[in-house]
Amino acid sequence: MSDTDNILDIQNYSLSYASKAGEVRILDDIDLHIKRGEVLGLVGESGSAKSSLANAIMRDLTGKVANESGKILLCGTQLVGLDDTAMQDIRGNRIAIVLQNASTALNPTMTIGDHVIETLQQHGRDSAEGLKSLAEDFLNLVGLPDPAAMMKRYAHEVSGGEKQRVVLAMAFACEPELILFDEPTSALDATTAATLLDLFIALQHRTGVSALFISHDLGVVSSIANSVAVIYGGRIVEHAASDELFKEPRHPYTRSLLASLPRPSDTRTGRQLATASSRAAPRIGPVPACIYAGSCAWHEPSVCDRDVVRLPSGVDHAVACVKSVDALRQPQLAGNPAARVFAPGATTDTPVLALQSLSVNYGRTGFLASLRGRSSVVHAVNDVSLSLSRGETLALVGESGCGKSTLAKTLAGLVSFDGKLLRSGSPVSAIDQDYRARVQIVFQNPDSSLNPRHSIGTILKRPLVLYRKTLNARERDVEVGKLLQRVQLPEHYADRYPHQLSGGEKQRVAIARALAAEPEVIICDEVTSGLDASVQASITQLLRTIQSDSGTALIFITHDLAILRHLAHRVAVMYLGELIELMDIHELDKPPYHPYTEALLSSSPSVDPLTLTRRIRLHGSLPKRTERIVGCAFESRCPHRLGEQCATQRPPRQSSPDGHEIQCHIDMQQLSSHTPVWRDLETRTET
Amino acid sequence: MSLGFLLKRLSSLVVTALIVSVIVFGITQLLPANAATMILGEYATEDALATLNARLGLDQPAWVQYWHWFSGVLHGDFGISLRTGQAVGPTILSAFGNSAILALFALLLVSLVSIPLGVLAAAKRGRPADMGVSLLSYLGVSLPEFVLATLLLAWLASPAIGLFPASGYVPFSEDWLRALHHIALPVLTLTIVLTAHVSRMVRSEMVDTLESDFVRAARLRGLSRKRVLYRHALPNSLLPAITVIALDIGYLIGGVIVVEEVFSFPGVGRQLILAIQNRDLPMLQAGALLMAVTYAVANLLADLAYGVLDKRIQFE
């Protein structure tokens, strides 16, 4: 293959940073190329240095470079060694980058138009109609409605998805040869991310630009990339065509990654998630022969540690492993459909927690505003009725701003509410100590929910002192040990501090703290978001174990629908503060769905060789949160909108005999006849 | 920015002024001596005191006295100075005008000097220019203004050098060049102390902004260093600096008092010191009220400026 075919050619590129502990290897002998028009996906878990590669290409190194060697060639031009001034002509002009967080990627003091114009201007672009009209063209290209009006807006005046479109417009503005996408959809809602992903694909096809698409989400990568490289500990461990790699992963690391990803077909096949997570790769000290040796189940020192294991070049499916594929027969995880069927708590029991017409409003209308008929009250949760049985897991799903976290905080007694709340059948008049002991909450981010100055032991003793007053000091110590055991952490962790633990371990401590009070209900607010797939799988597994041991009811709040099949008994879908659907987990795989649920399920990309996901994309904008919605909240974006009645009348709550509830004007029968979101590709189950 | 917000802030300003007026009046009431003892001196007879108290209304309850004083203030009548026997209003207002000139010049100079210095330090972070600015800042912050003022006085106004007059004041209406010459040293003192503070603030804000995502995104779009620095980082760093400058006005008021005393500058600070030394209560009350209101107004202005500059803030 000649060099000219390759837009980007990375040859034996290594990078290390200097630190107090010694030299830290960041990227290790990277060999990658991207052909004209090719989209290369780069996947890896947190800490795999996937973003560092993008930074290296952009010559925007974040650390103090100790050693850098090898080549990064853009159409034959060596980028390594170029200084900032030389890179100015390349950045944004020949290589553009789309960063993860669109919400902070725009200057708050500049209009969107100025952003696009300055980029064009910097790189000497112009058109006969002038820069302004050229900029409008690009805003139009990325599907922003009314570009002329958009030009005059500021970042805070547009939505997250629109911001990412603006960033995309700037990336395409100078017709670069290469675009680097660094987790471009990770911070967006599923339905927004799906439309943006479609837009990337369409624009890429139209312009034929080459791209490096970096993500931790294998589903997203599989839907956009032609070929995929898997990075672990700064080394590429596997590189193949996208279909090939996802169908037949070879490297043990890739396999473990895929094995811990939930699939839509899991209910059907009874597939279990692998929970063995990979350890952090060694970065300091002697160079290991195989970077994955520390976590590999097939590691044999006599075979694997003889020489540094490199990615072979010149093969279509390159694997950095000395063992042959046959030697690596995956020990199959028992696929037992029967094991998947939960026994939900007997519904005749008094629900452990029940809410009736619960509403939460934020903010208040000021005196002057009320005079002018303006309201700034946000209806965060609106008229929600739910019940939770003993030993049941209720999943609460929806996108950002749908009120799911507010509902969680309300149930935890952190937010005041209107409506009725019943615990074991008796109304809760005030959130007291007793209520708090019975209903515990685990927050999303253990970094901020665990006090960094307290040891794990101290953290776990607090609820024991508060809620279990009969225990004496000795018994408390014993209990801390038991709690750690229950969340599968070694007992000596009691002496450690949060910063000495990994993200998954910290979350386990947070769960143990909730368990300490011996609660009847644990509310898990996005507890697995932000964790790597394998850690997510093991936390899910842990929650299931805890539930079956203690009969605790769980409210599991998430925006990630894929994991539900492995955890939930029932699913409640929220949209703009309203509960629009409530169903049994078994009903997740087939219609009827609320039109929003249908779109949400369709938007979550998955790597599943057994299933094809139907594409439904949402358009239109959300109403303002301070508006009082008369009709259906989803009316402005609904693909199945019936007509005027959707905007003017509140949709009825329809329910089927088996307890499936949908709040929609469309008849449930009618909804049942919709094409399923997932279509089975093969009928036979995997063995 | 809405009219509602403006009204709200203005009304809170009025409330602040009212509270301050009560406190100022209350404190002068707590002093052991009143106006009558001041006028008649230590050896006054009880009878004489009582007569004078009755004449001045000092025998009435405190709230009645307060009302007399405050309604007078609303009419622009601050009372009669016990020291000079002249109306307090015109005296304090003309002194206030002189001080305002001093403060405004200092603020202008501070803005002109400290912002570029802060930007320079942040842009050259960790390099000699940054350390130089930091060193000067520390020096400026740690030198009390009376020490600095005395140093400047002893050096630049010394007979040997004689660059600037050591004291006094010439009105701008009379001869603006000589006026500038006279205010140069006091302004310089205030500027140096404030510059140290503000430039450190601008530097730290700039350093934060330079590390933000949108600045990185701008850099990675290939924008020139200058543009990234001045168009992206600076406007976003100036907002917090405005708050600091507004808070520094409080400091400036205190600084003005000291500096005016050192340079014998006829401003409101010097009037206040004279008033305290002579127990000139009406003058003291007027001066303190004026300063408090100035401070509140400065903060209001800073809030308004923030609202105009930061597009994200919506005043409801």
Side-chain angles (χ1 to χ4, degrees):
Chain A
M1 183 185 318
S2 74
D3 275 357
T4 50
D5 282 348
N6 291 338
I7 292 293
L8 186 76
D9 218 331
I10 304 177
Q11 297 172 359
N12 307 103
Y13 180 76
S14 296
L15 171 72
S16 62
Y17 288 148
S19 79
K20 275 181 195 142
E23 197 178 318
V24 184
R25 288 186 299 276
I26 303 296
L27 293 162
D28 197 352
D29 199 21
I30 304 284
D31 248 315
L32 278 178
H33 51 259
I34 301 177
K35 291 199 268 292
R36 191 172 294 280
E38 183 188 342
V39 178
L40 172 69
L42 183 67
V43 299
E45 293 181 297
S46 52
S48 61
K50 52 190 190 302
S51 291
S52 298
L53 186 62
N55 298 346
I57 296 168
M58 271 300 191
R59 310 305 308 143
D60 183 45
L61 301 174
T62 46
K64 191 163 172 275
V65 176
N67 261 309
E68 194 181 19
S69 63
K71 288 178 182 168
I72 297 177
L73 305 171
L74 177 73
C75 299
T77 315
Q78 163 77 304
L79 300 183
V80 178
L82 289 187
D83 61 5
D84 264 6
T85 324
M87 279 308 291
Q88 252 179 42
D89 289 336
I90 291 171
R91 289 176 186 158
N93 192 21
R94 297 185 62 195
I95 309 178
I97 187 163
V98 176
L99 298 167
Q100 172 173 4
N101 210 343
S103 60
T104 54
L106 298 175
N107 182 340
T109 60
M110 262 170 75
T111 62
I112 282 163
D114 285 345
H115 276 90
V116 187
I117 289 173
E118 71 170 359
T119 311
L120 290 163
Q121 211 163 23
Q122 178 74 37
H123 299 298
R125 306 295 154 127
D126 209 343
S127 80
E129 287 83 38
L131 274 171
K132 198 165 161 269
S133 106
L134 189 62
E136 283 179 20
D137 287 348
F138 280 105
L139 292 182
N140 192 34
L141 180 79
V142 293
L144 284 168
D146 199 358
M150 196 51 95
M151 294 280 285
K152 296 192 195 94
R153 297 219 179 114
Y154 288 90
H156 67 275
E157 295 170 317
V158 302
S159 72
E162 285 171 327
K163 273 181 227 171
Q164 195 62 300
R165 279 172 198 265
V166 173
V167 172
L168 211 56
M170 290 191 286
F172 278 94
C174 296
E175 290 153 350
E177 288 133 294
L178 178 70
I179 302 184
L180 311 176
F181 292 98
D182 191 358
E183 302 263 14
T185 57
S186 302
L188 299 172
D189 278 328
T191 53
T192 315
T195 49
L196 268 168
L197 213 55
D198 288 354
L199 179 66
F200 296 162
I201 297 171
L203 287 176
Q204 197 272 331
H205 279 307
R206 197 183 318 176
T207 57
V209 68
S210 309
L212 176 69
F213 197 97
I214 299 169
S215 181
H216 72 282
D217 188 336
L218 281 78
V220 169
V221 171
S222 76
S223 63
I224 191 169
N226 308 115
S227 60
V228 175
V230 181
I231 187 166
Y232 172 78
R235 280 194 208 170
I236 306 286
V237 294
E238 186 163 0
H239 183 190
S242 178
D243 304 345
E244 174 86 12
L245 188 120
F246 289 117
K247 204 182 286 170
E248 201 199 325
R250 294 189 185 166
H251 194 279
Y253 175 65
T254 318
R255 288 171 180 222
S256 81
L257 264 188
L258 284 166
S260 53
L261 275 190
R263 298 175 181 173
S265 65
D266 286 350
T267 321
R268 189 151 53 87
T269 59
R271 174 176 168 269
Q272 302 283 309
L273 300 184
T275 54
S277 50
S278 308
R279 287 190 204 103
R283 300 278 196 177
I284 298 178
V287 181
C290 172
I291 189 80
Y292 195 56
S295 310
C296 186
W298 291 271
H299 181 242
E300 273 180 76
S302 60
V303 184
C304 300
D305 292 348
R306 259 186 266 158
D307 219 342
V308 173
V309 184
R310 296 285 174 215
L311 197 71
S313 56
V315 287
D316 283 343
H317 193 150
V319 185
C321 183
V322 290
K323 296 205 160 180
S324 71
V325 182
D326 292 333
L328 305 181
R329 273 278 153 249
Q330 192 90 329
Q332 278 296 333
L333 287 158
N336 178 8
R340 286 280 314 123
V341 182
F342 294 125
T347 41
T348 48
D349 273 6
T350 315
V352 59
L353 211 58
L355 3 166
Q356 290 168 4
S357 306
L358 189 126
S359 298
V360 180
N361 299 322
Y362 283 135
R364 58 191 177 91
T365 306
F367 173 67
L368 277 163
S370 69
L371 283 183
R372 284 178 297 165
R374 281 198 208 160
S375 168
S376 52
V377 173
V378 174
H379 307 284
V381 174
N382 198 5
D383 194 15
V384 168
S385 299
L386 266 179
S387 67
L388 184 72
S389 309
R390 229 183 103 71
E392 178 191 42
T393 300
L394 174 73
L396 209 54
V397 301
E399 294 176 302
S400 54
C402 75
K404 56 188 192 300
S405 283
T406 301
L407 191 55
K409 284 185 203 149
T410 310
L411 295 181
L414 300 171
V415 176
S416 60
F417 59 90
D418 301 322
K420 244 169 127 182
L421 178 62
L422 301 145
R423 187 166 75 79
S424 306
S426 45
V428 177
S429 52
I431 306 287
D432 51 12
Q433 180 108 336
D434 182 46
Y435 180 88
R436 287 183 207 276
R438 300 280 75 89
V439 181
Q440 285 279 301
I441 185 167
V442 181
F443 293 102
Q444 172 172 3
N445 190 353
D447 284 321
S448 50
S449 69
L450 301 180
N451 188 337
R453 292 178 186 283
H454 285 176
S455 71
I456 305 301
T458 313
I459 289 171
L460 293 180
K461 268 178 216 160
R462 285 299 299 160
L464 294 177
V465 171
L466 267 174
Y467 301 125
R468 290 167 67 185
K469 299 192 164 74
T470 51
L471 298 179
N472 62 32
R474 258 194 57 77
E475 285 167 328
R476 277 200 292 271
D477 284 333
V478 175
E479 191 59 30
V480 166
K482 278 193 202 157
L483 284 168
L484 285 170
Q485 255 175 17
R486 281 183 74 188
V487 295
Q488 290 150 25
L489 290 175
E491 279 179 47
H492 68 259
Y493 269 38
D495 299 328
R496 299 208 177 173
Y497 285 85
H499 71 267
Q500 295 170 303
L501 273 54
S502 72
E505 288 172 335
K506 273 180 263 188
Q507 200 57 287
R508 280 165 194 269
V509 172
I511 292 170
R513 177 171 58 181
L515 283 174
E518 295 183 319
E520 291 165 347
V521 180
I522 301 181
I523 302 162
C524 302
D525 190 2
E526 300 264 13
V527 290
T528 61
S529 313
L531 297 175
D532 285 327
S534 53
V535 184
Q536 168 173 320
S538 64
I539 296 275
T540 313
Q541 180 65 45
L542 173 72
L543 289 173
R544 282 180 60 183
T545 313
I546 288 170
Q547 186 169 56
S548 66
D549 290 351
S550 60
T552 310
L554 293 176
I555 296 180
F556 190 83
I557 293 163
T558 183
H559 66 270
D560 177 14
L561 292 134
I563 196 71
L564 296 186
R565 287 185 184 80
H566 293 273
L567 186 75
H569 299 106
R570 284 193 302 153
V571 182
V573 185
M574 287 186 74
Y575 186 80
L576 289 184
E578 299 198 11
L579 181 72
I580 55 158
E581 182 160 14
L582 184 66
M583 63 176 149
D584 203 79
I585 189 71
H586 300 292
E587 290 162 326
L588 191 68
D589 286 327
K590 54 184 193 305
Y593 301 119
H594 186 282
Y596 171 68
T597 313
E598 191 181 26
L600 194 62
L601 291 171
S602 150
S603 301
S604 131
S606 58
V607 183
D608 189 349
L610 304 177
T611 315
L612 195 72
T613 306
R614 191 159 69 93
R615 281 192 34 207
I616 303 159
R617 298 295 179 254
L618 295 181
H619 302 282
S621 56
L622 284 99
K624 259 172 109 173
R625 288 314 304 270
T626 49
E627 267 173 51
R628 215 359 153 187
I629 296 159
V630 196
C632 169
F634 188 51
E635 173 262 336
S636 61
R637 295 166 82 202
C638 184
H640 303 296
R641 190 179 187 273
L642 291 176
E644 205 42 44
Q645 72 206 76
C646 292
T648 54
Q649 290 172 30
R650 204 173 156 75
R653 180 165 286 275
Q654 314 175 47
S655 49
S656 75
D658 54 357
H660 192 155
E661 288 178 29
I662 295 179
Q663 184 173 309
C664 185
H665 281 295
I666 307 171
D667 190 64
M668 221 159 167
Q669 294 283 309
Q670 178 83 35
L671 290 170
S672 306
S673 65
H674 284 185
T675 324
V677 172
W678 295 289
R679 188 158 63 80
D680 303 348
L681 288 180
E682 292 165 76
T683 41
R684 71 180 173 84
T685 51
E686 217 177 6
T687 45
Chain B
M1 195 182 316
S2 68
L3 190 69
F5 170 74
L6 208 67
L7 284 175
K8 211 163 149 186
R9 281 310 314 263
L10 276 175
S11 57
S12 84
L13 181 73
V14 171
V15 172
T16 310
L18 272 174
I19 295 171
V20 166
S21 73
V22 172
I23 293 172
V24 162
F25 187 83
I27 286 174
T28 52
Q29 285 292 306
L30 290 177
L31 293 178
N34 71 6
T37 46
M38 287 304 307
I39 294 167
L40 297 175
E42 301 179 50
Y43 306 109
T45 60
E46 289 289 323
D47 280 354
L49 273 176
T51 325
L52 192 58
N53 272 336
R55 195 159 61 83
L56 292 173
L58 297 175
D59 53 349
Q60 282 164 332
W63 67 269
V64 178
Q65 292 186 42
Y66 169 74
W67 175 247
H68 280 304
W69 173 70
F70 188 66
S71 60
V73 168
L74 288 184
H75 290 97
D77 171 17
F78 287 87
I80 303 292
S81 165
L82 299 181
R83 185 172 66 93
T84 61
Q86 288 174 339
V88 167
T91 318
I92 198 86
L93 283 178
S94 102
F96 182 77
N98 294 343
S99 293
I101 289 171
L102 215 58
L104 285 176
F105 266 101
L107 268 184
L108 185 73
L109 266 181
V110 166
S111 308
L112 287 179
V113 176
S114 63
I115 292 170
L117 268 184
V119 171
L120 175 81
K124 308 267 177 204
R125 194 177 162 202
R127 284 189 262 169
D130 180 20
M131 291 179 207
V133 172
S134 290
L135 197 73
L136 284 176
S137 304
Y138 275 120
L139 211 67
V141 169
S142 49
L143 265 185
E145 61 272 12
F146 69 88
V147 175
L148 187 64
T150 318
L151 279 177
L152 287 176
L153 192 68
W155 177 40
L156 293 176
S158 68
I161 296 183
L163 265 181
F164 297 101
S167 67
Y169 171 72
V170 174
F172 272 79
S173 52
E174 205 170 280
D175 182 348
W176 64 270
L177 207 64
R178 280 188 56 216
L180 276 181
H181 199 205
H182 273 89
I183 65 167
L185 278 187
V187 165
L188 194 64
T189 313
L190 290 172
T191 306
I192 289 175
V193 176
L194 272 186
T195 295
H197 190 209
V198 176
S199 68
R200 281 175 61 76
M201 180 69 197
V202 171
R203 178 195 177 272
S204 78
E205 283 300 327
M206 273 296 275
V207 165
D208 283 351
T209 316
L210 282 173
E211 277 171 6
S212 67
D213 285 350
F214 68 85
V215 167
R216 176 163 184 250
R219 221 159 14 85
L220 294 184
R221 284 203 303 278
L223 300 182
S224 66
R225 213 180 142 68
K226 242 193 211 153
R227 194 169 173 89
V228 171
L229 206 58
Y230 295 112
R231 191 70 189 82
H232 288 267
L234 185 59
N236 288 286
S237 309
L238 281 187
L239 289 170
I242 288 174
T243 320
V244 170
I245 292 178
L247 289 174
D248 276 343
I249 291 176
Y251 161 80
L252 205 57
I253 293 169
V256 158
I257 296 179
V258 174
V259 168
E260 282 176 357
E261 185 58 22
V262 175
F263 292 102
S264 319
F265 184 89
V268 75
R270 206 167 147 69
Q271 278 299 341
L272 266 181
I273 290 174
L274 280 174
I276 291 166
Q277 285 166 349
N278 297 293
R279 303 210 189 157
D280 187 352
L281 295 183
M283 186 68 82
L284 195 59
Q285 287 166 336
L289 186 63
L290 209 53
M291 285 191 163
V293 170
T294 310
Y295 187 53
V297 169
N299 273 300
L300 173 66
L301 289 178
D303 271 6
L304 296 185
Y306 216 110
V308 172
L309 290 174
D310 191 339
K311 307 291 189 293
R312 281 168 298 186
I313 292 183
Q314 288 172 352
F315 296 106
E316 293 289 344

